[in-house]
């Protein structure tokens, strides 16, 4: 498999922009009509993800071994879509047809063999992982809403109870589906550690145009049953004993709050600084819970900060800037979670302050909705 040739061909296809996903899905649904029912009614968001997904696969094609843990995780996660081994060839055929169409005369038997081999490796890893996981976990967990608290006009905290215990690491995410938005799954990070009684706390911000977040904040009620997919992600997990700095923007607090729960349970004698950012004081929606953590953890300091409320008597400014003003942080591991803009700005500030990127942990979310897309996730990513 000539990886350089794969990358050159993909760069050529990228020139066609939005035509690429449109052609791919048209081909997939025309050649395999039953698959259309597996996707949400509205496909605009789905199309937007395909090009980025393919790009990530091509970027890693030089070292697919490095991608195996993620691919295995993705294969397990796709069980919630009712994806079976028989579906993978259909996606592969549509992919090959799409590449052939846009590459034209540059499409050669050798290039087709390269792409077929690369896709075959990826799908084999996913299929095997999915089959192995059937022995220990369900394709999804049913989760009843036992409490729904509207904390602000845009934010709700949902307390769920799963029909069986769900095991995850603090900092991981689970995909969520509501019957109000069928076949549309979005990722959220639990705000608590995994519990034997299946209680899961989710923090949801309603985003502009977000069909799932709007339903979860405005329409879901106590007694409704959601579906949760398998936990994914490892960039925000805590697997060391150093002191930590947690920098949260908005509902990015959720996974960092779960890390506080882990610190409380593990008994490691570490110092923790949690910086919680919001535009105004009224958007600091979970402070009573954080104060309770501070009372239970003598080495925890919670510092709220607001960026736009001049009446606020505490620290003001971007939360990343406030965190740096309370430094320096010469040895601490730093965890950042918030909107994509907030995470990018904070990382830039930390780098400018001389903090090495190896000490800064963050997860690559897209508005907390889609987590690290990949070409093999074209089946059923909404």
């Amino acid at each position: 498999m000539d990886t350089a040739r794969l990358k050159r061909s993909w760069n050529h296809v990228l020139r066609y922009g939005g035509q690429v996903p449109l052609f791919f899905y048209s081909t997939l649904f025309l050649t395999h009509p039953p698959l259309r029912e597996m996707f949400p009614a509205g496909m605009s968001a789905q199309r937007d993800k395909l090009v980025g997904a393919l790009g990530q696969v091509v970027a890693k094609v030089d070292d697919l071994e490095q991608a195996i843990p993620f691919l295995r995780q993705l294969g397990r996660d796709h069980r919630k879509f009712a994806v079976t081994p028989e579906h993978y060839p259909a996606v592969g055929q549509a992919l090959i047809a799409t590449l052939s169409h846009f590459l034209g005369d540059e499409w050669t038997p050798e290039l087709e063999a390269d792409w077929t081999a690369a896709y075959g490796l990826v799908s084999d890893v996913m299929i095997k992982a999915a089959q192995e996981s059937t022995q220990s976990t369900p394709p999804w967990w049913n989760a009843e809403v036992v409490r729904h608290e509207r904390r602000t006009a845009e934010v709700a905290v949902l307390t769920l109870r799963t029909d069986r215990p769900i095991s995850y690491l603090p900092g991981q995410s689970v995909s969520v589906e509501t019957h109000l938005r069928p076949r549309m799954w979005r990722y959220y990070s639990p705000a608590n550690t995994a519990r034997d009684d299946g209680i899961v706390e989710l923090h949801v911000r309603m985003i502009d145009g977000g069909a799932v977040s709007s339903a979860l904040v405005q329409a879901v009620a106590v007694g409704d049953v959601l579906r949760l997919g398998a936990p994914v992600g490892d960039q925000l997990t805590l697997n060391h004993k150093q002191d930590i700095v947690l920098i949260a923007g908005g509902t990015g607090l959720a996974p960092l709050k779960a890390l506080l729960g882990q610190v409380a349970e593990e008994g490691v004698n570490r110092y923790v600084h949690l910086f919680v950012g919001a535009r105004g004081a009224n958007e600091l929606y979970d402070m009573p819970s954080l104060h309770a953590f501070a009372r239970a953890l003598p080495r925890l300091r919670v510092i709220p900060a607001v960026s736009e409320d001049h009446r606020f008597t505490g620290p003001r400014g971007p939360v990343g800037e406030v965190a740096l003003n309370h430094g320096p942080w010469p040895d601490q591991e730093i965890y950042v979670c918030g909107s994509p803009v907030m995470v990018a700005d904070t990382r830039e500030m930390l780098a400018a302050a001389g903090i090495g990127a190896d000490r800064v942990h963050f997860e690559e979310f897209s508005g907390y909705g889609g987590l690290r897309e990949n070409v093999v996730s074209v089946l059923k990513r909404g």
Side-chain angles (χ1 to χ4, degrees):
M1 184 169 58
D2 188 331
T3 57
R5 186 162 55 199
L6 282 173
K7 291 184 177 182
R8 286 196 302 271
S9 65
W10 178 242
N11 287 334
H12 179 96
V13 171
L14 279 178
R15 303 172 189 170
Y16 293 92
Q19 298 178 51
V20 178
L22 181 62
F23 186 93
F24 170 84
Y25 283 109
S26 297
T27 301
L28 181 65
F29 297 152
L30 284 171
T31 55
H32 299 85
L35 292 183
R36 183 62 185 90
E37 298 179 2
M38 299 175 67
F39 289 79
M43 286 292 297
S44 58
Q46 180 68 31
R47 293 192 190 103
D48 292 341
K49 295 176 181 178
L50 178 63
V51 173
L54 285 167
Q56 290 196 36
V57 170
V58 175
K60 296 178 180 178
V61 75
D62 290 324
D63 187 9
L64 286 177
E65 285 294 322
Q66 183 182 0
I68 283 179
F70 170 60
L71 293 174
R72 287 178 56 81
Q73 190 176 62
L74 198 60
R76 293 188 293 266
D77 185 47
H78 271 64
R79 292 176 56 210
K80 69 176 182 278
F81 301 133
V83 173
T84 67
E86 291 72 26
H87 291 129
Y88 286 87
V91 173
Q93 292 164 15
L95 173 62
I96 295 299
T98 300
L99 295 167
S100 173
H101 172 78
F102 288 103
L103 288 170
D105 293 340
E106 295 184 27
W107 185 250
T108 64
E110 293 78 15
L111 191 54
E112 180 175 358
D114 288 341
W115 276 99
T116 301
Y119 180 77
L121 289 172
V122 168
S123 59
D124 286 348
V125 171
M126 288 187 62
I127 290 170
K128 184 177 180 180
Q131 291 173 336
E132 291 174 350
S133 69
T134 60
Q135 305 301 315
S136 57
T137 60
W140 63 78
W141 286 256
N142 291 317
E144 181 183 0
V145 180
V146 296
R147 185 179 302 125
H148 186 286
E149 302 173 81
R150 193 76 174 268
R151 298 285 180 86
T152 73
E154 299 176 341
V155 174
V157 173
L158 282 66
T159 303
L160 316 175
R161 180 183 291 113
T162 57
D163 56 352
R164 65 192 79 185
I166 178 172
S167 179
Y168 56 85
L169 297 174
Q172 287 193 302
S173 299
V174 295
S175 52
V176 179
E177 183 202 41
T178 167
H179 68 283
L180 300 172
R181 299 291 185 267
R183 300 181 297 279
M184 297 178 68
W185 294 78
R186 295 294 182 269
Y187 282 94
Y188 295 92
S189 296
N192 61 301
T193 58
R195 292 173 42 164
D196 291 339
D197 61 3
I199 291 295
V200 177
E201 178 182 310
L202 299 181
H203 297 186
V204 182
R205 176 181 292 279
M206 183 168 55
I207 61 174
D208 187 23
V212 174
S213 65
S214 297
L216 293 176
V217 172
Q218 294 184 310
V220 163
V222 171
D224 287 349
V225 177
L226 310 179
R227 286 179 172 180
L228 305 184
V232 298
D234 59 10
Q235 298 304 302
L236 285 177
T237 55
L238 186 61
N239 56 8
H240 56 79
K241 296 183 179 180
Q242 283 95 327
D243 295 340
I244 56 176
V245 176
L246 310 176
I247 306 175
T251 51
L253 170 64
L256 306 189
K257 183 180 176 183
L259 294 186
L260 290 183
Q262 179 179 342
V263 171
E265 293 174 2
E266 68 186 2
V268 175
N269 202 18
R270 69 170 100 218
Y271 286 94
V272 181
H273 286 76
L274 170 62
F275 297 88
V276 187
R279 289 170 296 186
N282 63 322
E283 295 184 20
L284 295 168
Y285 65 89
D286 204 36
M287 293 308 298
S289 178
L290 299 181
H291 289 320
F293 267 115
R295 290 191 295 271
L297 297 171
R299 295 195 174 194
L300 166 65
R301 185 180 179 193
V302 178
I303 303 98
V306 304
S307 58
E308 299 178 12
D309 187 350
H310 295 290
R311 297 169 298 176
F312 184 68
T313 57
R316 293 203 299 266
V319 65
E321 180 180 298
V322 171
L324 281 171
N325 290 339
H326 281 73
W329 310 110
D331 304 307
Q332 292 82 355
E333 297 290 311
I334 300 176
Y335 291 75
V336 183
C337 194
S339 71
V341 171
M342 173 267 177
V343 171
D345 288 348
T346 302
R347 290 174 59 208
E348 185 175 333
M349 292 177 193
L350 295 172
I355 297 175
D358 60 317
R359 291 198 288 123
V360 179
H361 307 269
F362 64 99
E363 189 62 272
E364 293 190 39
F365 287 84
S366 175
Y368 305 125
L371 181 68
R372 299 172 314 281
E373 302 295 342
N374 206 297
V375 63
V376 288
S377 66
V378 294
L379 271 178
K380 297 285 293 157
R381 278 299 171 105

